[in-house]
Amino acid sequence: MTLLSTATAAHLAPTRRRAALPPLPVVLSLVFVALVIAWSLVPGLFTGHDPIAGVPADKLLGPSLAHWFGTDHLGRDLFARVVFGSASSVTSALIAVVIGVLAGGLIGLVAGFLGGWVDTVLARFVDVLLAIPKFLLAVIVVTAIGFDTINAAIATGVSAVAVFARVMRSEVIKTREATFVEASFLSGGSRWHILLRHVLPNASRSVLPLGVLHFGDSILVIASLAFLSYGDPPPASDWGLLISIGKDYPKWPWLVYAPALVTIATVLSVNRISRWLRTTD
Amino acid sequence: MNSAYLTYAGKRLAQAAIVILLAYVFTFVVVSILPGDPITSVLRNPQNGFSEEEIAQIVAAQGLDRPVLEQLWSSLSGFLTGDLGLSMRSHRPVTTMIAEVLPSTLILATSALFLALVLAVVVAYGTQVLPKRYGQGLLRAFPSLFLSVPNFVIGLVLIHLFGFQLGLFRVINPDSAWATFFAAVTLAIPISAQIAEVLIASLDHEADQDYIAVARGRGLRPFRLFTRHLLKPSSLPVVTVIALTIGELLGGSLITETVFGRTGIGSHVQRSVSTQDLPVLQAVVSLAAVVFVLANLIADLVYPLLDPRVKLLGARTPRSPASKPAGASAP
Amino acid sequence: MAPHDRLTTAFPHNVQVDRPTPLLHVEDLNVSYGANRVVTDVGFSLGRGKSLALIGESGSGKSTIARTVLRLLPGATRVKGRVSFDGEDILGLSERRFRPLRGRAIGFVPQDPGNALNPVRTIGSQALEAAALADERDPRIARERILETFAQVGLDNPQRVYDSYPHQLSGGMLQRVLIGLAVLPRPLLLVADEPTSALDVTIQKRILDLLSRLQHDLDISLLLITHDLAIAAERADSIVVLKDGSVQEAGSTATVFAAPSSPYAKKLHADVPALNPHRYATLRDPGFRRLGDDGQAPKILVQNLTKTFEVDGNVLTAVNDVSFSVPSGTTHALVGESGSGKTTTIRLLLGLEQPECGEITVAGETITGRTHRSMQSAWRHLQLVYQNPFTSLDPTWTVERLVREPLDRFKIGTPAERAEWVRAALVDVGLGAHLVTRKPQALSGGQRQRVAIARSLVLRPDVIVLDEPTSALDVTVQADIVAVLLELQAKLGLTYVFVSHDLALVRQLAHTVSVMRHGRIVEHGTVSDIFENPREPYTVALLQSIPSGAASPVRARTVRPAVQPVFGQEQIA
């Protein structure tokens, strides 16, 4: 009997969960993400070098103890530029995720819960957003509202709305038809009560790991926009912009590799955390 | 092919057409109606060097002096008759411009899709066929690793390694087969990671199903078990993923073409963005929407033919009183 | 000529008939998943042509043992001990050397037939794999043998079955296919893991009969995994009772079943409804006295209820002219198999669906034709307990909040009173106060169902509708829940509508019964009317499907008759 087998699985579940501390890669990921957040909050604590004013005599030095990531063509310490650039890279990814989760979540919640013509209209709108490639959509939006880092973040958020809307809608529909929702209805629950107390918390459970995953994704999209110079111009030091500048100095490859590795490590850590959140829930 | 299938196909076709039209309108709305007047501000940018007369000419030719709704209407009716208007930058018909660069992008995108599929299939099937000790963990890490690497970094690394160090292609005028190959690899890697991720999850899910255990209990060898039982049901979701990621080939070409210095749709977009060349942007967006919508349409139409369980999805959520009585009355 | 004599000529490994060594011998078996030990020191023997049942509830390790014998355990499992098959220790064999035994010498019938065949391949193409095990390489002959086997396991249209995809057949038909595929290569041992628990009761009996018949006609040993003591007693020569992975009691069916000695086996025996029809007689008696009380208006009155659904353009009458009444303080059982309309009937009763015609009155209030808003007042007195406690409780809520929800929603009492009532309701269902801060995930199935019952009780309703409230639970848990329900009825005078497919359970607890089939009530009456003097053939068939624990006619046959051989002469030629 199918019920019996779910019962068995659920019996085993709690014992397994209690034993599960985050595995080592997840702990490392959490530590690294915490480090990056610390960089963006108090960059001055992590480096004594000035990210904007360089020492022309020290230009294009290789990585050393004095300059961990080397120096750029103006003699600026690259590590300092990466650390100071993390603020806008991280903040803008956060803005993008918040826009995506809030706008997409709201659209999905309303469409899934109300159903009917509201659902049809919103579903078409989401279809349109999905039909435009994400990166192209972000580029179009940032074109319309102007080139700077915050606008790039907004554009990235808009391009993620469709995905969140779709996941939220399907979760809401799934939850709405769950037995416990009908049970609440029989217990005298009104539509609002059911929406806010039962449907929203349950549907959000799978949207949270997706939000974390999109945080990593947003870092990539924003870096790409910065790479194409759609973000703040130099001397800003967004990671994508650093890589874009570095590519013009192919003989000094650390100018590309250092900021690229930081970006990759951040996104990788965030993705690992998201995967962990998904499996523990 | 019965009449139910044709009705279903017709309905999906109509939906597809509506989405394409709406995508066109959406781009127009985003670029023309959002705050600021990017178009005239670009025209008046002294760097572009337009004289007042030229500006007036362009404004008149593009109909920028007319009310927005009227502009939308004329633009939309042009779109419906296949006229995509004139580029604001070069004053040439957008259709011609797109047609010129389409082959280059098409070659890049199709070879990237092919590479992505091959890579994904090798990785995903490898996780099932390889013994646990040898390399399975590495293969399983592949998708999340490559989803974390920015596209342009892959391109730069490939150029650095194979262009500068090994000299396989010239970096400045990269029209060789090697240059195209590495550009396609750049474009393929993130997409293959997405396909591989879905494929691995699907393989794991199906391998866990009872019917696999029962087939093993029938004495099948692992290889036959894989080819005869696991392969088909677990590969079906790939149809859907390809349809969903196909649009990203166009989005990704924007970066890839810029990094590799290729002329194509992506590099056109890149240039049109800096000059706010709305007609070109709209054309590219509609092209992307057409590709995406057609790919999904084909996927939806093919799926019922591949999977015997899927009945015709006239109603996407089949309702029966036994399975979902709550749907009729729940709030 | 006895059937197995004929078969030995075709299958050489069947030659030795009665060797003293058992066919399957398990000794000191220990299995663990990670740090979790699921089987501890288990041992048993199964002789040739004999049958043995492993009985246990969820978590008893019975399925793990079955999969150990087949070596179908997941990779991360550690196995210690000896499992010898036909004199050879199969745990020590390499996968390559064991594979020829799988399917060919040891056949497997799985639990859930709906998921046991590849969904995207035809049944015929999968059957050919089984035929290949019987060394049948010629596809034409293989196909013929498959079609014959299908006919012999009772499939009406073998050709159609051969060409079908799994989703096109019913569960009973699929289980016949799977049994056919398992016996096609003529194994020495058949491992059947809960082969009927996913099927309707009348189908269950037929499948079990088929298994017994094949076992005897083909001289196959049967290792039967089941949670049902009565089924085990009917079908097996010996029984092993398992709990938490270790053997509680083992021996011949006659001893273990008739005179269980271990405490757990005794409890199991006492908790099986089919074996103890009068277990709750004293708790139930007040209700019977009320039945005789004619002056009172019935608590529930259902008249001429009809409800249709439209499915794929066809109109399906789910409930057809159904009428019944329930006196206050009694239990009315709606009995039927899947698709009989019993679930739709209670949804109409609760006002969750509206009927096309008919009328429902509960405690003098009309239910039919009301809006959802006005139903709210009715639900204060009319509550539902769902079948599956794993889906009926919001996983994000605590027990306390779940049980308090109806009080909060209907705004009954002060916060202090509500807390007190919640506590009282939990005490009523036998749950300790330490559970109130837990979420459903941290509760067992039985505890969850108690929470669900407490939630429906907290409003002090007159009527509780119970939709198969124990079918997702183990039999000992079921007995506890049933006891709680009947005690509450005796204490509070509750009226129950009890929906079930389990007639043995109904016989234990109901006062009146309606038997439903295809949306109609085919027979109704008091519980003794129905169980002692059934008039409808369908009711009789349902009653016969209750496992009685008495050995089945097939198994009781000591001399194998030449009549009705399962495999005909022609296929050997």
Side-chain angles (χ1 to χ4, degrees):
Chain A
M1 170 177 332
T2 41
L3 287 177
L4 217 63
S5 51
T6 46
T8 323
H11 275 311
L12 292 172
T15 46
R16 275 195 209 141
R17 183 163 304 120
R18 232 170 284 138
L21 273 169
L24 185 66
V26 175
V27 174
L28 291 178
S29 302
L30 285 166
V31 168
F32 188 75
V33 170
L35 178 70
V36 170
I37 291 174
W39 283 356
S40 56
L41 292 178
V42 277
L45 275 187
F46 294 90
T47 173
H49 294 284
D50 190 309
I52 291 170
V55 183
D58 291 349
K59 71 174 182 177
L60 296 169
L61 293 178
S64 65
L65 275 180
H67 303 283
W68 291 1
F69 291 175
T71 57
D72 69 0
H73 61 291
L74 296 176
R76 294 176 293 199
D77 178 63
L78 189 58
F79 178 70
R81 292 195 38 84
V82 168
V83 168
F84 277 88
S86 56
S88 75
S89 300
V90 169
T91 318
S92 49
L94 206 62
I95 292 173
V97 171
V98 168
I99 292 175
V101 168
L102 288 188
L106 189 67
I107 292 174
L109 188 66
V110 170
F113 195 71
L114 294 182
W117 66 266
V118 178
D119 185 24
T120 313
V121 169
L122 289 175
R124 266 324 132 254
F125 175 66
V126 169
D127 277 352
V128 170
L129 287 184
L130 276 177
I132 305 172
K134 259 186 71 165
F135 190 63
L136 190 58
L137 179 59
V139 167
I140 303 268
V141 173
V142 82
T143 307
I145 55 183
F147 298 155
D148 71 37
T149 299
I150 294 301
N151 284 350
I154 293 171
T156 309
V158 170
S159 74
V161 164
V163 175
F164 283 102
R166 227 167 54 143
V167 171
M168 190 65 167
R169 175 176 176 273
S170 74
E171 285 298 314
V172 166
I173 288 176
K174 206 169 77 188
T175 314
R176 196 185 66 175
E177 286 175 356
T179 312
F180 63 78
V181 163
E182 192 182 89
S184 169
F185 191 53
L186 288 177
S187 304
S190 64
R191 282 167 71 100
W192 277 109
H193 168 77
I194 285 169
L195 176 67
L196 295 178
R197 304 289 174 198
H198 290 289
V199 173
L200 192 58
N202 277 285
S204 305
R205 289 207 300 178
S206 58
V207 174
L208 172 74
L210 187 70
V212 176
L213 189 70
H214 256 267
F215 182 68
D217 208 40
S218 301
I219 293 178
L220 288 183
V221 174
I222 290 166
S224 301
L225 291 172
F227 179 79
L228 294 175
S229 331
Y230 299 159
D232 286 343
S237 59
D238 287 68
W239 296 343
L241 186 62
L242 289 177
I243 298 170
S244 170
I245 297 170
K247 79 172 191 299
D248 298 332
Y249 301 90
K251 283 190 192 151
W252 297 273
W254 62 84
L255 291 178
V256 167
Y257 287 139
L261 283 178
V262 170
T263 312
I264 293 168
T266 309
V267 179
L268 205 56
S269 303
V270 168
N271 288 354
R272 187 69 192 81
I273 293 168
S274 161
R275 198 142 43 91
W276 172 66
L277 285 175
R278 247 179 304 168
T279 49
T280 46
D281 201 41
Chain B
M1 292 287 167
N2 46 21
S3 68
Y5 186 83
L6 292 177
T7 319
Y8 167 67
K11 223 166 123 183
R12 290 286 291 106
L13 205 64
Q15 266 177 10
I18 292 173
V19 169
I20 293 170
L21 267 185
L22 287 177
Y24 187 81
V25 174
F26 177 81
T27 321
F28 181 91
V29 168
V30 167
V31 180
S32 332
I33 297 184
L34 281 182
D37 189 359
I39 295 167
T40 44
S41 73
V42 165
L43 288 177
R44 293 194 188 284
N45 187 332
Q47 274 183 359
N48 289 336
F50 290 115
S51 69
E52 278 302 318
E53 273 163 50
E54 279 172 322
I55 290 175
Q57 223 175 9
I58 293 173
V59 165
Q62 298 282 344
L64 294 178
D65 47 352
R66 285 178 292 159
V68 172
L69 272 182
E70 215 179 299
Q71 287 180 47
L72 173 62
W73 178 245
S74 68
S75 155
L76 197 57
S77 48
F79 176 63
L80 287 175
T81 54
D83 173 14
L84 295 174
L86 297 177
S87 159
M88 296 208 297
R89 192 160 41 86
S90 64
H91 308 293
R92 298 174 56 213
V94 172
T95 355
T96 328
M97 290 172 65
I98 299 265
E100 278 168 12
V101 294
L102 192 61
S104 154
T105 301
L106 220 51
I107 288 170
L108 179 66
T110 45
S111 35
L113 184 61
F114 176 75
L115 283 174
L117 260 179
V118 170
L119 202 55
V121 163
V122 167
V123 167
Y125 294 162
T127 62
Q128 301 296 317
V129 178
L130 281 189
K132 276 230 160 59
R133 259 170 294 171
Y134 309 109
Q136 222 199 69
L138 201 72
L139 287 181
R140 280 180 183 273
F142 168 88
S144 71
L145 179 66
F146 281 109
L147 277 175
S148 310
V149 182
N151 208 318
F152 52 90
V153 169
I154 299 173
L156 291 176
V157 169
L158 289 177
I159 289 175
H160 189 245
L161 286 183
F162 296 99
F164 279 103
Q165 310 278 1
L166 297 179
L168 276 182
F169 55 92
R170 277 188 300 158
V171 183
I172 308 302
N173 185 16
D175 233 7
S176 71
W178 276 118
T180 307
F181 172 75
F182 285 112
V185 169
T186 305
L187 191 50
I189 280 179
I191 288 168
S192 79
Q194 287 180 50
I195 299 175
E197 195 171 42
V198 171
L199 196 51
I200 291 174
S202 164
L203 281 163
D204 286 347
H205 172 79
E206 295 291 334
D208 233 25
Q209 298 295 303
D210 263 3
Y211 70 85
I212 295 293
V214 175
R216 270 185 80 196
R218 224 177 280 138
L220 257 68
R221 288 155 193 280
F223 188 71
R224 275 179 81 79
L225 197 64
F226 177 73
T227 53
R228 307 218 34 189
H229 283 276
L230 206 50
L231 202 55
K232 190 180 170 192
S234 57
S235 302
L236 289 173
V238 172
V239 176
T240 317
V241 193
I242 292 179
L244 285 174
T245 50
I246 209 157
E248 289 186 24
L249 286 169
L250 253 172
S253 73
L254 220 155
I255 295 261
T256 311
E257 289 178 353
T258 309
V259 170
F260 280 83
R262 295 170 63 89
T263 310
I265 300 218
S267 57
H268 258 40
V269 171
Q270 152 81 331
R271 240 169 293 145
S272 308
V273 162
S274 40
T275 53
Q276 310 264 352
D277 200 342
L278 176 62
V280 176
L281 288 181
Q282 260 179 309
V284 173
V285 167
S286 345
L287 181 70
V290 168
V291 170
F292 178 89
V293 165
L294 280 184
N296 279 279
L297 183 64
I298 292 169
D300 278 5
L301 293 182
V302 163
Y303 216 100
L305 307 179
L306 294 180
D307 188 343
R309 283 168 297 180
V310 178
K311 285 194 197 147
L312 283 177
L313 309 164
R316 266 195 162 169
T317 47
R319 277 168 188 275
S320 68
S323 65
K324 268 187 218 163
S329 62
Chain C
M1 190 158 46
H4 75 264
D5 290 338
R6 278 187 277 116
L7 294 169
T8 50
T9 50
F11 300 94
H13 61 242
N14 237 355
V15 171
Q16 296 116 325
V17 176
D18 275 313
R19 273 201 318 200
T21 50
L23 180 70
L24 180 70
H25 183 70
V26 175
E27 215 177 296
D28 299 328
L29 183 67
N30 284 278
V31 184
S32 26
Y33 299 119
N36 210 349
R37 182 182 283 199
V38 288
V39 174
T40 314
D41 297 332
V42 167
F44 58 86
S45 293
L46 170 59
R48 280 164 198 282
K50 300 288 187 194
S51 49
L52 182 141
L54 294 179
I55 311 181
E57 301 180 287
S58 48
S60 66
K62 57 189 192 299
S63 288
T64 304
I65 296 172
R67 293 195 169 221
T68 311
V69 170
L70 290 151
R71 301 215 344 192
L72 287 177
L73 291 168
T77 324
R78 275 181 300 126
V79 183
K80 278 190 297 183
R82 262 180 73 82
V83 176
S84 50
F85 176 77
D86 210 6
E88 194 170 15
D89 185 4
I90 54 172
L91 292 185
L93 289 182
S94 70
E95 177 70 16
R96 259 171 54 105
R97 298 209 24 227
F98 178 71
R99 200 178 304 126
L101 294 177
R102 233 189 239 137
R104 212 167 275 155
I106 309 176
F108 178 40
V109 179
Q111 176 173 21
D112 177 7
N115 198 17
L117 287 162
N118 193 325
V120 299
R121 290 178 58 199
T122 62
I123 287 174
S125 78
Q126 301 181 60
L128 285 173
E129 291 172 0
L133 290 177
D135 293 319
E136 196 48 84
R137 298 286 168 199
D138 183 334
R140 244 171 358 103
I141 300 178
R143 199 184 125 98
E144 245 163 62
R145 279 191 62 179
I146 291 163
L147 292 181
E148 274 161 18
T149 309
F150 282 175
Q152 282 148 349
V153 293
L155 290 162
D156 286 339
N157 190 344
Q159 185 61 52
R160 211 204 73 187
V161 170
Y162 189 92
D163 294 329
S164 297
Y165 286 99
H167 70 274
Q168 294 165 325
L169 303 183
S170 71
M173 286 165 88
L174 286 175
Q175 196 59 295
R176 281 173 196 274
V177 167
L178 286 160
I179 290 171
L181 296 193
V183 299
L184 187 66
R186 300 299 188 287
L188 295 171
L189 171 66
L190 200 57
V191 179
D193 185 2
E194 302 256 15
T196 60
S197 54
L199 304 174
D200 269 332
V201 283
T202 50
I203 317 276
Q204 277 186 17
K205 182 177 158 55
R206 281 185 240 152
I207 295 286
L208 288 168
D209 283 346
L210 172 68
L211 271 177
S212 297
R213 199 161 50 104
L214 290 170
Q215 188 216 336
H216 283 266
D217 292 353
L218 299 178
D219 198 26
I220 298 175
S221 303
L222 178 68
L223 180 62
L224 179 69
I225 317 298
T226 179
H227 64 276
D228 191 326
L229 185 63
I231 286 181
E234 271 182 21
R235 309 285 166 178
D237 302 315
S238 47
I239 290 181
V240 175
V241 181
L242 292 161
K243 180 175 190 265
D244 299 332
S246 49
V247 175
Q248 303 295 309
E249 189 165 350
S252 74
T253 301
T255 0
V256 176
F257 186 69
S261 58
S262 68
Y264 180 70
K266 278 182 185 158
K267 176 164 171 53
L268 204 57
H269 193 282
D271 287 346
V272 173
L275 306 177
N276 307 281
H278 302 296
R279 177 169 177 176
Y280 304 108
T282 44
L283 282 172
R284 197 161 50 150
D285 274 348
F288 278 125
R289 283 197 292 279
R290 282 168 191 258
L291 276 187
D293 203 357
D294 284 336
Q296 210 182 13
K299 196 76 173 181
I300 303 171
L301 187 62
V302 172
Q303 286 168 303
N304 309 104
L305 215 52
T306 297
K307 172 77 183 173
T308 58
F309 289 102
E310 207 180 288
V311 183
D312 301 331
N314 302 320
V315 174
L316 183 120
T317 309
V319 174
N320 195 350
D321 199 23
V322 161
S323 306
F324 60 87
S325 67
V326 187
S328 177
T330 69
T331 303
H332 181 76
L334 288 175
V335 176
E337 298 183 283
S338 50
S340 62
K342 54 191 195 305
T343 301
T344 308
T345 305
I346 57 165
R347 294 187 65 80
L348 293 168
L349 178 59
L350 282 152
L352 291 168
E353 309 261 356
Q354 288 299 327
E356 261 85 69
C357 58
E359 201 182 346
I360 300 170
T361 322
V362 175
E365 258 190 295
T366 309
I367 300 295
T368 34
R370 288 167 66 162
T371 63
H372 278 303
R373 197 172 293 276
S374 72
M375 272 308 294
Q376 300 262 348
S377 64
W379 287 330
R380 279 200 57 174
H381 310 288
L382 175 63
Q383 280 291 309
L384 172 66
V385 175
Y386 289 91
Q387 174 173 18
N388 188 346
F390 294 89
T391 59
S392 67
L393 304 176
D394 188 329
T396 61
W397 283 37
T398 61
V399 167
E400 205 262 336
R401 199 171 160 210
L402 282 165
V403 177
R404 209 186 53 218
E405 186 181 17
L407 297 174
D408 290 344
R409 291 299 110 206
F410 286 112
K411 300 191 177 59
I412 302 167
T414 64
E417 282 171 331
R418 288 178 197 174
E420 174 55 27
W421 288 333
V422 168
R423 206 190 51 78
L426 288 172
V427 169
D428 280 343
V429 297
L431 281 182
H434 63 286
L435 295 174
V436 294
T437 54
R438 293 217 189 149
K439 291 189 175 170
Q441 209 125 52
L443 301 178
S444 70
Q447 288 172 327
R448 292 184 201 208
Q449 196 59 296
R450 285 167 196 257
V451 171
I453 294 172
R455 172 174 62 186
S456 63
L457 269 180
V458 77
L459 288 171
R460 289 277 173 261
D462 304 322
V463 178
I464 299 184
V465 178
L466 303 150
D467 183 7
E468 308 228 21
T470 58
S471 67
L473 306 174
D474 280 325
V475 64
T476 52
V477 181
Q478 163 173 291
D480 295 347
I481 298 276
V482 168
V484 164
L485 287 172
L486 291 181
E487 277 158 21
L488 288 171
Q489 182 173 49
K491 188 170 126 193
L492 306 170
L494 297 171
T495 307
Y496 290 149
V497 174
F498 189 89
V499 175
S500 183
H501 66 276
D502 184 345
L503 273 98
L505 185 61
V506 164
R507 183 169 53 184
Q508 273 188 323
L509 59 78
H511 299 101
T512 53
V513 180
S514 295
V515 179
M516 291 192 74
R517 189 187 195 192
H518 302 329
R520 290 179 177 275
I521 291 184
V522 292
E523 187 164 3
H524 65 95
T526 63
V527 72
S528 52
D529 286 345
I530 298 287
F531 282 84
E532 281 148 34
N533 302 304
R535 290 182 309 269
E536 291 293 316
Y538 179 68
T539 314
V540 175
L542 278 180
L543 293 178
Q544 280 173 349
S545 68
I546 303 179
S548 63
S552 75
V554 188
R555 197 171 69 80
R557 283 201 306 252
T558 42
V559 182
R560 285 173 201 132
V563 289
Q564 245 199 344
V566 173
F567 291 89
Q569 197 88 38
E570 63 277 21
Q571 81 179 84
I572 302 301

